[in-house]
């Protein structure tokens, strides 16, 4: 018996080494943790339960029978994060560069299947050279298929902790949240060598697919960390805002932040002049429990802000215009960013708060040619589809089309529309409106310039308040900025039992 147990221990010790100590040292020299060190740092101590530790590939091509390692380049299983179950896999770069062969893929599929069946989030730790070249055609399809089946059932996170090239990029792209680490994550479909061969362009892997590229330009990455440790902390924090699956509700820790705390600073943040910008993040923080705003996609489409806060412990998804960037107008990237976030919140029972200060859609040829009509429609669709509790707050201006584009209007399914006393609501901006409705008066005036300014001011005075819109029934309540936090807590509390059923169908045809 003793020998049998010793045999197991010896085999386990071998499996723990992946591609061997030399390769682990190399991994450390690259500035990366090993697959197992990553899991240790991510999950609660002692909670990891491994599956298929002794799996090896069965390929004999290219002398591969001599290149067998227990686990086949991926460590898979389940663990707990803050006591909640997650399923995860961590690719082991020390074994053939974490490349994905049949056995490797089948292990990933196994944990994904278990996650779907048990309703637990899936976390993939990616560090891989892509499809294993010696094993022929890649196995990614089986993972893409499961990513899609898991979509809207359990939250899916992908942490890019090394290379992620070729077909490998599409599993993260199908996930809900992509995390990258500055300096070590690289994501691209075709690498620098292929690009050079095909187009002659010379570019480094970092310039092509580093964390900065995907967090600032492509919008692929949702969160960027300076180190792997920071990335794991981000994962834990994000998870704390989410339910484990679509039938659950997010954890609701007891808040020690007074629900009736006055948000007096908001009045000082919103400038008197409608032309002056301010930082909407300061307002979000004012309202949030402990002034904590967990922002997502911070560096992409900065004219719109998305992220999570808690209101008296309740997890809430926030979508807000950022007046400091393009005056908070809506454009192509902002539409993509908000639409996806709205659908995520709706899929996972997370109430939605809109904080609105929006002059409308960004005008221009670039936007029209790029398809702002098509992209803007995604946001409208997402709002009209969402059935979670929804509250919109008009912080300052809202003109015309943005009434729907920022879901201010009840017509697109918003439950409560609140205006601060600072709100300015009109069909279009005063400058544009005056040009149209006072066209003749301006043209016939002795001093058309002065008349135009007078008419703009007249229009603004008429609409630079929320009362006309309230009279027309657009607004449920007008409140002072200092009671915004307590009002929102009460509003979401009133919406707690909300049920809104829609006709059954296979799925809608969102204009992607
Ligand atoms: C088999 C691989 C591999 C792969 C790396 N290795 N990628 N083995 N299949 N795809 C092996 C290397 O041979 C090496 O083995 C070890 O992993 C470490 O790799 P290095 O190149 O030494 O490391 P590094 O310099 O850090 O470069 C990492 C890398 C590079 C950038 C990932 O290895 C690389 O470019 N690999 C190929 C990437 C790629 O083109 N993948 C696409 C595959 S096709 P030794 O024994 O020397 O330690 C694909 C299409 C799927 O994915 C389509 C699905 C829709």
């Amino acid at each position: 018996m003793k020998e049998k147990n010793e045999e197991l221990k010896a085999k386990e010790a071998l499996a723990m080494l992946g591609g061997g100590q030399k390769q682990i040292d190399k991994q450390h020299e690259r500035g990366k943790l090993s697959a197992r060190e990553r899991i240790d740092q991510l999950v609660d101590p002692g909670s990891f339960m491994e599956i298929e530790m002794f799996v090896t590939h069965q390929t004999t091509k290219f002398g591969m029978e001599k290149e067998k390692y227990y686990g086949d380049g991926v460590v898979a299983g389940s663990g707990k994060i803050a006591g909640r179950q997650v399923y995860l896999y961590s690719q082991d770069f020390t074994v053939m560069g974490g490349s994905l062969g049949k056995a490797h893929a089948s292990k990933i599929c196994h944990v994904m299947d278990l996650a779907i069946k048990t309703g637990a989030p899936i976390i993939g730790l990616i560090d891989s050279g892509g499809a294993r070249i010696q094993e022929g055609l890649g196995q990614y399809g089986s993972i893409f298929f499961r990513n899609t089946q898991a979509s809207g059932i359990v939250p899916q996170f992908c942490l890019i902790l090394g290379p992620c090239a070729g077909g490998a990029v599409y599993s993260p792209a199908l996930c809900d949240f992509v995390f990258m680490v500055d300096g070590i994550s690289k994501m691209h479909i075709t690498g620098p060598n292929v690009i050079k061969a095909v187009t002659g362009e010379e570019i480094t892997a970092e310039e092509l697919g580093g964390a900065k590229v995907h967090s600032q330009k492509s919008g692929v990455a949702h969160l960027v960390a300076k180190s792997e440790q920071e990335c794991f902390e981000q994962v834990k924090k994000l998870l704390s805002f989410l339910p484990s699956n679509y039938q659950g509700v997010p954890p609701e820790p007891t808040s020690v932040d007074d629900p009736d705390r006055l948000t007096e600073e908001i009045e000082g943040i919103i400038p008197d002049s409608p032309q002056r910008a301010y930082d909407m993040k300061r307002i979000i923080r004012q309202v949030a429990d402990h002034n904590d705003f967990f922002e997502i996609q911070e560096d992409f489409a900065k004219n719109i802000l998305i992220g999570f806060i808690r209101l008296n412990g309740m997890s809430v998804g926030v979508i807000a215009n950022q007046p400091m960037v393009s005056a908070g107008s809506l454009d192509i990237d902002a539409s993509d960013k908000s639409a996806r976030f709205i659908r995520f919140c709706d899929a996972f029972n997370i109430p939605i708060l809109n904080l609105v200060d929006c002059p409308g859609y960004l005008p221009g040829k670039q936007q029209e040619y790029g398809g702002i009509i098509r992209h803007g429609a995604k946001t409208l669709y997402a709002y009209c589809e969402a059935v979670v509790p929804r509250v919109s707050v008009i912080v300052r201006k809202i003109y015309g089309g943005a009434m729907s584009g920022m879901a201010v209007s009840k017509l697109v399914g918003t439950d409560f529309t609140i205006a601060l006393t600072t709100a300015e609501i009109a069909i279009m901006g005063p400058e544009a409106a005056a040009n149209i409705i006072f066209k003749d008066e301006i043209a016939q005036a002795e001093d058309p310039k002065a008349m135009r300014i007078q008419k703009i001011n007249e229009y603004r005075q008429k609409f630079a308040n929320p009362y006309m819109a309230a009279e027309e029934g657009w607004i449920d309540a007008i409140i002072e900025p200092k009671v915004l936090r307590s009002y929102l807590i009460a509003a979401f509390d009133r919406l707690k039992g909300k049920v809104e059923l829609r006709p059954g169908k296979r799925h809608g045809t969102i204009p992607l």
Side-chain angles (χ1 to χ4, degrees):
M1 182 62 120
K2 197 169 168 228
E3 288 104 67
K4 288 188 177 177
N5 291 343
E6 291 301 326
E7 184 187 9
L8 172 64
K9 276 196 193 117
K11 281 183 185 292
E12 278 176 346
L14 199 58
M16 297 299 254
L17 283 177
Q21 190 56 49
K22 249 190 179 165
Q23 289 286 354
I24 294 175
D25 294 342
K26 253 184 163 177
Q27 174 82 346
H28 289 155
E29 280 160 26
R30 289 183 177 103
K32 299 192 287 184
L33 295 170
S34 73
R36 289 181 185 278
E37 286 164 344
R38 287 168 172 163
I39 293 174
D40 284 347
Q41 293 200 10
L42 182 60
V43 300
D44 296 348
S47 69
F48 184 58
M49 192 189 259
E50 189 166 347
I51 57 166
E52 298 189 35
M53 184 189 239
F54 300 123
V55 159
T56 57
H57 70 75
Q58 303 301 315
T59 307
T60 50
K61 292 180 219 155
F62 303 104
M64 283 281 280
E65 62 278 5
K66 289 183 228 116
E67 286 267 327
K68 284 198 182 203
Y69 303 89
Y70 281 147
D72 202 40
V74 62
V75 184
S78 62
K80 297 212 169 175
I81 293 182
R84 297 164 69 202
Q85 183 157 307
V86 296
Y87 275 90
L88 70 157
Y89 62 88
S90 179
Q91 290 183 311
D92 184 351
F93 197 78
T94 68
V95 177
M96 291 173 273
S99 56
L100 184 128
K102 247 188 185 170
H104 180 125
S106 140
K107 279 179 78 172
I108 293 175
C109 290
H110 190 178
V111 287
M112 292 179 83
D113 288 341
L114 288 166
I116 296 168
K117 286 188 240 179
T118 58
I122 299 170
I123 304 176
L125 287 75
I126 310 291
D127 188 0
S128 168
R132 189 172 297 156
I133 295 158
Q134 300 90 325
E135 286 202 46
L137 294 173
Q139 298 289 318
Y140 281 109
S142 58
I143 299 172
F144 303 158
F145 184 81
R146 282 165 179 79
N147 284 133
T148 307
Q149 305 318 306
S151 178
I153 302 283
V154 293
Q156 300 184 77
F157 294 1
C158 246
L159 284 51
I160 314 300
L161 303 174
C164 177
V169 299
Y170 282 113
S171 177
L174 288 165
C175 284
D176 298 307
F177 294 98
V178 174
F179 297 71
M180 292 184 82
V181 179
D182 213 6
I184 68 167
S185 311
K186 316 258 183 297
M187 267 182 109
H188 44 71
I189 288 197
T190 50
N193 294 343
V194 176
I195 292 179
K196 189 166 182 214
V198 176
T199 69
E201 188 186 357
E202 289 203 30
I203 188 161
T204 65
E206 184 66 31
E207 288 165 339
L208 188 63
K212 284 195 180 66
V213 171
H214 289 306
S215 58
Q216 296 171 7
K217 293 183 193 298
S218 71
V220 167
H222 296 87
L223 286 145
V224 173
K226 289 189 197 72
S227 64
E228 293 194 44
Q229 287 80 359
E230 192 189 15
C231 176
F232 302 143
E233 292 311 312
Q234 289 174 339
V235 169
K236 292 175 199 181
K237 183 147 186 193
L238 177 55
L239 207 57
S240 77
F241 288 101
L242 314 183
S244 295
N245 58 63
Y246 78 109
Q247 288 170 317
V249 284
E252 204 171 314
T254 312
S255 168
V256 285
D257 196 350
D258 181 3
D260 293 322
R261 172 170 57 77
L262 291 179
T263 45
E264 279 171 317
E265 281 181 34
I266 294 180
E267 271 178 43
I269 296 170
I270 304 169
D272 286 332
S273 161
Q275 269 81 32
R276 281 194 48 213
Y278 59 94
D279 187 358
M280 183 67 92
K281 290 186 200 181
R282 292 178 65 199
I283 295 189
I284 300 173
R285 289 196 193 105
Q286 276 290 306
V287 165
D289 287 0
H290 311 294
N291 308 115
D292 186 19
F293 174 41
F294 187 68
E295 192 173 353
I296 307 289
Q297 286 187 304
E298 187 176 351
D299 295 319
F300 178 69
K302 290 173 157 194
N303 41 338
I304 199 108
L305 305 170
I306 59 169
F308 297 98
I309 61 168
R310 283 206 171 80
L311 287 175
N312 203 24
M314 179 195 264
S315 178
V316 172
V318 179
I319 297 127
N321 304 108
Q322 173 55 290
M324 282 172 57
V325 181
S326 307
S329 58
L330 302 174
D331 63 4
I332 290 169
D333 285 346
S335 301
D336 285 356
K337 178 174 165 179
S338 63
R340 189 163 175 194
F341 185 69
I342 295 158
R343 295 193 100 217
F344 178 82
C345 291
D346 188 47
F348 289 102
N349 304 317
I350 300 167
I352 293 173
L353 167 64
N354 295 299
L355 291 172
V356 183
D357 184 347
C358 183
Y361 290 88
L362 183 68
K365 188 170 84 172
Q366 198 199 2
Q367 287 291 308
E368 298 292 349
Y369 284 13
I372 182 61
I373 298 174
R374 190 161 52 82
H375 292 276
K378 297 178 197 175
T379 310
L380 284 180
Y381 190 106
Y383 274 130
C384 293
E385 181 187 48
V387 294
V388 289
R390 288 162 54 186
V391 176
S392 291
V393 178
I394 307 166
V395 175
R396 194 169 59 172
K397 62 188 169 307
I398 180 73
Y399 301 143
M403 288 287 281
S404 296
M406 281 304 295
V408 170
S409 159
K410 280 174 272 197
L411 305 181
V412 293
T414 299
D415 297 301
F416 291 135
T417 302
I418 315 300
L420 299 189
T421 47
T422 44
E424 176 177 324
I425 308 163
I427 187 73
M428 62 200 310
E431 289 79 7
N435 281 346
I436 298 168
I437 58 175
F438 303 118
K439 190 174 83 186
D440 294 341
E441 278 171 79
I442 293 171
Q444 286 153 20
E446 251 177 53
D447 182 350
K449 241 185 183 172
M451 178 60 88
R452 184 168 177 268
I453 291 168
Q454 187 192 319
K455 289 295 173 192
I456 289 171
N457 288 336
E458 240 176 64
Y459 184 89
R460 174 161 280 131
Q461 263 160 25
K462 200 162 183 186
F463 292 103
N465 61 65
Y467 299 103
M468 188 172 261
E471 282 171 29
E472 290 178 14
W474 295 100
I475 311 289
D476 292 300
I478 302 169
I479 61 168
E480 289 183 54
K482 70 176 180 202
V483 297
L484 182 56
R485 170 175 160 83
S486 54
Y487 196 95
L488 287 174
I489 289 172
F492 279 114
D493 189 55
R494 302 297 152 93
L495 291 169
K496 256 186 177 160
K498 182 184 174 191
V499 177
E500 194 173 339
L501 298 174
R502 300 281 165 83
K505 57 185 167 184
R506 185 172 296 166
H507 56 69
T509 56
I510 183 167
L512 300 168

